[in-house]
Amino acid sequence: MNIRTIDWKNDKVRIIDQRSLPQKLVYLDIDKPSDLRRAIRSMQVRGAPALGAAAALGVYLGVKGYMGVGWQGFSRRLKSAAKYIASSRPTARNLFWGVERVVLAAEKNKNKPIAVIKKIILDEAKKIMREDALSCRKIGSYGSSLIKEGSRVLTVCNAGILATIDYGTALGVIYSACSHGKKVKVFSCETRPLLQGSRLSCWELSRRGVDVAMIADNTASSLMAGGKVDMVIAGADRIAANGDTANKIGTLNLAILSRYHKIPFYIAAPESTFDLSIKSGEQIKIEMRDPREVTGILFKKTTAPEGARAINPAFDVTPHRLISAIITDKGIIRGPYLRNIKKILSGRR
Amino acid sequence: MNIRTIDWKNDKVRIIDQRSLPQKLVYLDIDKPSDLRRAIRSMQVRGAPALGAAAALGVYLGVKGYMGVGWQGFSRRLKSAAKYIASSRPTARNLFWGVERVVLAAEKNKNKPIAVIKKIILDEAKKIMREDALSCRKIGSYGSSLIKEGSRVLTVCNAGILATIDYGTALGVIYSACSHGKKVKVFSCETRPLLQGSRLSCWELSRRGVDVAMIADNTASSLMAGGKVDMVIAGADRIAANGDTANKIGTLNLAILSRYHKIPFYIAAPESTFDLSIKSGEQIKIEMRDPREVTGILFKKTTAPEGARAINPAFDVTPHRLISAIITDKGIIRGPYLRNIKKILSGRR
């Protein structure tokens, strides 16, 4: 049975509650911006591409009840709705990109009646979802050329169906290779603190019949040293103009370990994850999350000593020189990144 | 209040039940070899030096009830007791070393009455405990010269009081530096799957007033890249003649990350952790533990999807070329290790 991470159903945003997985597959119907913002902050919906769609729909939730008729009043409401959703989490580029796209679509049509503009916003959000599904398939298709029969792929966090609308970026590459009949073995780093690699990636990979084994994050170099990993593929939350890539904490570890063991390290992400307005990863704001995610397990049980302090950055930045290639919906980008990112994203080959 | 990880009290082995920490400080009194073996296997007592003492006491538990009078019968019982304890876990050198020491002490005195030989075995086990306490202090004293005022030290797992009799190896170095008035900041990797870095190291460091913050294992390179770590100090479970070092899974990760970030990476261990009978780390047997340690949290809650597979090696091997120095009770050993390990351990400077 196919699942859809995020959807527009019965005039509401329908998401899979990712905090309930893998124990239960629960859908949440959301029609208030505050509920959606909370769902984003608490990671009931997460993953950069999914956040792009969620943010766009969130802006629509913020304006759909607007009762006025003039553009000026509507524009104020639109901006405040956009700002509200954009303030939910700071790192994933797609979230801001989703907000900006629907705001721009509205502004381009500001002479139309408010009811029409509202519909344009919703249509744009739906278009983002359709495009995301398509771009994941393109990423998968380009990326699967890198995977050989029998390849053993290590991944981190969840850059799969649950991080996008329905196919995934890093895992999309694996799904695509499998659909071409290649046998792929996946190692999934459990990805502390929130265990997306265990709870989400193992769940969706197994559902699709992919051979997957999970490991504690600590085990990555041991597997590599034992010659058991052919490549690493990770997703991305934001990619700077020079190719520096922010992704889930631990990604930088894997990039360094891959370099040491001479294993290719790939990033898979759609164009919407690129932020060409920033020169390098140094300019990416890294979200610091609640230390209790680290001192405890999954929002509940505390395992650390009482009063223990913890540092909990949600992301790290992998310098471009450690990245073998970036697999995008426009093609595979290799270094020198500053030049090739611009060239390939603009379609000039 | 001082704690003692392992002790001989009222004719029984008294250990701190390390699975109950940090919630409860519980002592267990053990007088059956099978209970001690179970305590070792389930990691109620763990840490290479502590296992040396536990194993020696375990052999005594195995022979103390022997009712015969001849050496031959006793020797059979002794060998079977030794074999039984030695089969508990495969990686830590100290465990075998502890067994061998008491067996050798008995064999040297085989002409004495059995009651005397039994006492010699117990005395040898007690001597191991006294020596361990002393050698930890020597490690601390040598190692503290490497620590500057304000040093920020990253460590993994627990190589502290709870891994030894009462002072620690890697953490002993930190305690020693602190006792010399140096201010030290410690980052403790939580160390999945069993969270010894969180549950044990944070607990004992805080108890002794050391400034410690815990991190998810994934966060190590992010801290290093941010210039927040001055050195890594880890313990060891077995060190080969060439300096290759087996230690808790994840240690190799840290060694590689340290090299990449040009941070010194130190191992701290007593002479009893060295296994000069093996040439390199390739010959070290790595214990594979129950996958449920990874698919769940602390022996109870399952967090992974039903049926998820996991790979759970308890240790990895760090090649000697990634180790800046090995801090021992005989002095600080630097490369070339093959030569210098022999030289310094034999006392020839």
Side-chain angles (χ1 to χ4, degrees), chain A residues 215-237:
Chain A
I215 56 169
D217 304 312
N218 271 338
T219 306
S221 59
S222 166
L223 284 183
M224 290 180 183
K228 293 187 177 126
V229 178
D230 296 309
M231 68 183 73
V232 174
I233 313 181
D237 285 82

Side-chain angles (χ1 to χ4, degrees), chain A residues 142-202:
Chain A
Y142 285 119
S144 74
S145 67
L146 300 169
I147 294 187
K148 296 199 185 77
E149 166 63 23
S151 280
R152 298 155 304 172
V153 181
L154 180 71
T155 188
V156 59
C157 195
N158 173 268
I161 297 168
L162 292 164
T164 58
I165 301 306
D166 74 351
Y167 198 68
T169 53
L171 300 192
V173 170
I174 291 164
Y175 294 138
S176 175
C178 291
S179 77
H180 287 92
K182 292 177 196 167
K183 228 178 130 181
V184 182
K185 176 167 182 64
V186 180
F187 296 110
S188 177
C189 291
E190 65 171 355
T191 319
R192 277 281 287 156
L194 297 183
L195 303 175
Q196 295 94 331
S198 157
R199 295 190 302 112
L200 309 180
S201 290
C202 281

Side-chain angles (χ1 to χ4, degrees), chain A residues 52-72:
Chain A
L57 289 167
V59 173
Y60 177 69
L61 291 183
V63 300
K64 83 177 163 103
Y66 183 73
M67 305 291 277
V69 291
W71 167 254
Q72 258 190 337

Side-chain angles (χ1 to χ4, degrees), chain A residues 255-267:
Chain A
I256 294 169
L257 301 177
S258 298
R259 175 58 51 98
Y260 179 83
H261 290 104
K262 301 188 169 59
I263 292 166
F265 175 87
Y266 301 117
I267 291 292

